[in-house]
Amino acid sequence: MTSNAATAPTAPKVKRDRTHYLYIAVIIAVVLGIAVGLLAPDFATELKPLGTGFVNLIKMMISPIIFCTIVLGIGSVRKAAKVGAVGGIALVYFFVMSLVALGIGLIVGNILDPGTGLAVTDAVKDTGQAQVDAEAKGTTEFLLGIIPTTMVSAFTEGEVLQTLLIALLAGFALQAMGNAGQPVLRGIEHIQRLVFRVLAMIMWAAPIGAFGAIAAVTGSAGLEALKSLAVLMLGFYVTCVLFLILVLGTLLRVIAGVSVFSLFKYLGREFLLILSTSSSESALPRLIAKMEHLGVSKPVVGITVPTGYSFNLDGTMIYMTMASLFISDAMGTPMSIGEQIPLLLFLLVASKGAAGVSGAGLATLAGGLQSHKPALVDGIGLIVGIDRFMSEARALTNFGGNAVATVLIGTWTKEIDKDRVNEVLAGRAPFDEKTLLDDHHGADDTDADSGGLPEAGGEKELAKT
């Protein structure tokens, strides 16, 4: 702390203090939102637009941040094969961890057996049928949907994977241009700083968004839904925590030598943001910025994080497994292991095709059951009341899984600065909450950063002129 104070006397303290108060305000807003939701549920549900508006403001920034991060990362790497290796390792890892998450959900769901004895009324059946999303895409449509109508429409439609494709093409094109592409890279670097500064300004609306989102969720669900389905909800939360700590924590310690508790403490504000908005997308831009600050190279962060938000959905996998078993038990038609495994493998594929659908967890589950076992769709109405509470656990688990994946893939590809990781997690290199960027600070006032993020083989983030 003293060395950091010597290099940057007063400004960092002011910035840390102000954002510290901001997140205290978020916690207060969450408590007030729960109170309003319980005391005045009808009024609380009317506050939902506050939360929706804040999340939409964050989503507005996702496409430009992903584009700038990937273009700067790839455009400054001399070997294109490095980017391909990162993408290939990421996809294999995402698939394996999805299977692991499904397996864990399968074991816990069979042990808890929480759905037995519940009554499925006609009203519940109607509610379940209403959850089948007609807009859910099949695998082929999903893959074709990655190609945008125009290069600009990828930004206007807010499709993460479309933005990823355009950014990859632009990054490789700038890479091929060599020195002629350096002015473009410098321009994109300035745009990135502007976009992150705008995001930092938007974050000051977080308490308002958190208050509206939590109040609406609490007001719409109420205590009765929580009491009747407490076993399923608590079982799901405990399973997610065990998955993050035991499975991902062990991988992180063995492969990268990093404590999962230190990493999650570093990302504490992002977890709070997700908890208050029930949306992991609200923390996506900050995850990109913080992973780069941690010492993972821009190509790894730029490819792993956006792709993981569509393909590395550990929390959603656990949710779909446990919810499927819960519904089958509640409907009085418990599935044997031979029936469970094909259904869950089908849901594994279906979840990729509906990754961008609003309310993806419930919509994916409904669509998968409709296609594979239609008789179970009626039972989805049983969990609609607590789905928003469970969506928070899904979002937190998905976020934690993508943070761990970024560090692991950075380690496997040797695109991570281990000394930088230790400095950041020890608190000696604090994250700049004002700009959400530190590469321009690093060149001027820190030796640890060496002017930017690490590149294998001594390559610089941007060629200097």
Side-chain angles (χ1 to χ4, degrees), residues 97-109 112 232-245 247-248 312-326 344 347-348 351 361 365 390 393-394 397-398:
M97 291 313 299
S98 293
L99 289 177
V100 171
L102 282 173
I104 291 174
L106 188 70
I107 294 170
V108 175
L112 288 181
L232 174 64
M233 192 167 67
L234 292 176
F236 178 59
Y237 268 77
V238 171
T239 303
C240 288
V241 170
L242 293 177
F243 177 80
L244 288 173
I245 295 176
V247 179
L248 296 183
N312 189 35
L313 307 173
D314 299 329
T316 304
M317 296 294 104
I318 297 172
Y319 167 80
M320 290 197 299
T321 309
M322 296 183 67
S324 299
L325 298 178
F326 171 83
L344 297 175
L347 288 173
L348 172 64
S351 68
L365 177 63
M390 295 177 73
R394 287 200 304 266
T397 308
N398 291 342

Side-chain angles (χ1 to χ4, degrees), residues 81-159:
K82 183 190 300 182
V83 179
V86 171
I89 292 173
L91 289 176
V92 171
Y93 171 82
F94 295 159
F95 180 75
V96 171
M97 291 313 299
S98 293
L99 289 177
V100 171
L102 282 173
I104 291 174
L106 188 70
I107 294 170
V108 175
N110 279 292
I111 292 174
L112 288 181
D113 194 21
T116 305
L118 288 179
V120 181
T121 63
D122 290 338
V124 167
K125 292 180 180 180
D126 293 340
T127 305
Q129 291 290 344
Q131 298 303 315
V132 180
D133 195 330
E135 296 181 4
K137 303 173 184 176
T139 304
T140 303
E141 292 174 326
F142 170 67
L143 293 175
L144 291 176
I146 296 175
I147 305 173
T149 306
T150 67
M151 289 187 69
V152 180
S153 65
F155 301 95
T156 58
E157 294 176 5
E159 294 286 345

Side-chain angles (χ1 to χ4, degrees), residues 314-376:
D314 299 329
T316 304
M317 296 294 104
I318 297 172
Y319 167 80
M320 290 197 299
T321 309
M322 296 183 67
S324 299
L325 298 178
F326 171 83
I327 290 170
S328 66
D329 289 343
M331 295 290 291
T333 56
M335 294 184 290
S336 65
I337 294 294
E339 293 175 301
Q340 292 173 17
I341 293 176
L343 171 62
L344 297 175
L345 291 177
F346 178 84
L347 288 173
L348 172 64
V349 177
S351 68
K352 312 310 178 192
V357 178
S358 177
L362 202 59
T364 302
L365 177 63
L369 293 178
Q370 176 70 23
S371 301
H372 196 79
K373 200 159 185 177
L376 295 181

Side-chain angles (χ1 to χ4, degrees), residues 132-423:
V132 180
D133 195 330
E135 296 181 4
K137 303 173 184 176
T139 304
T140 303
E141 292 174 326
F142 170 67
L143 293 175
L144 291 176
I146 296 175
I147 305 173
T149 306
T150 67
M151 289 187 69
V152 180
S153 65
F155 301 95
T156 58
E157 294 176 5
E159 294 286 345
V160 171
L161 291 181
Q162 290 185 0
T163 306
L164 180 63
L165 175 63
I166 295 298
L168 287 171
L169 294 175
F172 284 125
L174 286 170
Q175 184 185 73
M177 290 170 65
N179 290 335
Q182 295 308 310
V184 180
L185 283 175
R186 287 196 297 274
I188 293 175
E189 183 183 24
H190 290 301
I191 293 173
Q192 184 192 44
R193 292 178 183 175
L194 169 65
V195 170
F196 273 118
R197 183 60 66 95
V198 172
L199 177 65
M201 293 165 61
I202 290 173
M203 290 307 301
W204 286 96
I208 299 173
F211 173 74
I214 289 294
V217 171
T218 308
S220 61
L223 291 176
E224 292 306 315
L226 303 185
K227 290 177 183 177
S228 62
L229 298 171
V231 174
L232 174 64
M233 192 167 67
L234 292 176
F236 178 59
Y237 268 77
V238 171
T239 303
C240 288
V241 170
L242 293 177
F243 177 80
L244 288 173
I245 295 176
L246 298 183
V247 179
L248 296 183
T250 302
L251 280 174
L252 193 63
R253 171 61 73 182
V254 172
I255 295 172
V258 174
S259 166
V260 72
F261 297 105
S262 298
L263 179 64
F264 288 170
K265 180 182 177 182
Y266 170 63
L267 298 171
R269 292 182 173 185
E270 288 66 42
F271 280 115
L272 175 60
L273 186 63
I274 294 170
L275 184 66
S276 60
T277 61
S278 296
S279 171
S280 59
E281 285 188 331
S282 63
L284 189 153
R286 288 179 59 88
L287 179 60
I288 290 175
K290 280 204 160 181
M291 286 294 101
E292 289 181 3
H293 175 78
L294 185 65
V296 185
S297 71
K298 285 197 173 192
V300 172
V301 175
I303 292 172
T304 304
V305 174
T307 309
Y309 262 68
S310 290
F311 292 96
N312 189 35
L313 307 173
D314 299 329
T316 304
M317 296 294 104
I318 297 172
Y319 167 80
M320 290 197 299
T321 309
M322 296 183 67
S324 299
L325 298 178
F326 171 83
I327 290 170
S328 66
D329 289 343
M331 295 290 291
T333 56
M335 294 184 290
S336 65
I337 294 294
E339 293 175 301
Q340 292 173 17
I341 293 176
L343 171 62
L344 297 175
L345 291 177
F346 178 84
L347 288 173
L348 172 64
V349 177
S351 68
K352 312 310 178 192
V357 178
S358 177
L362 202 59
T364 302
L365 177 63
L369 293 178
Q370 176 70 23
S371 301
H372 196 79
K373 200 159 185 177
L376 295 181
V377 174
D378 291 342
I380 289 179
L382 288 168
I383 60 173
V384 169
I386 62 165
D387 180 69
R388 282 302 301 271
F389 286 95
M390 295 177 73
S391 74
E392 293 176 346
R394 287 200 304 266
L396 291 168
T397 308
N398 291 342
F399 177 83
N402 283 311
V404 171
T406 305
V407 176
L408 292 178
I409 293 168
T411 302
W412 285 324
T413 57
K414 295 181 173 57
E415 289 288 309
I416 187 171
D417 186 338
K418 295 293 183 65
D419 294 333
R420 173 73 173 175
V421 171
N422 294 331
E423 286 289 304

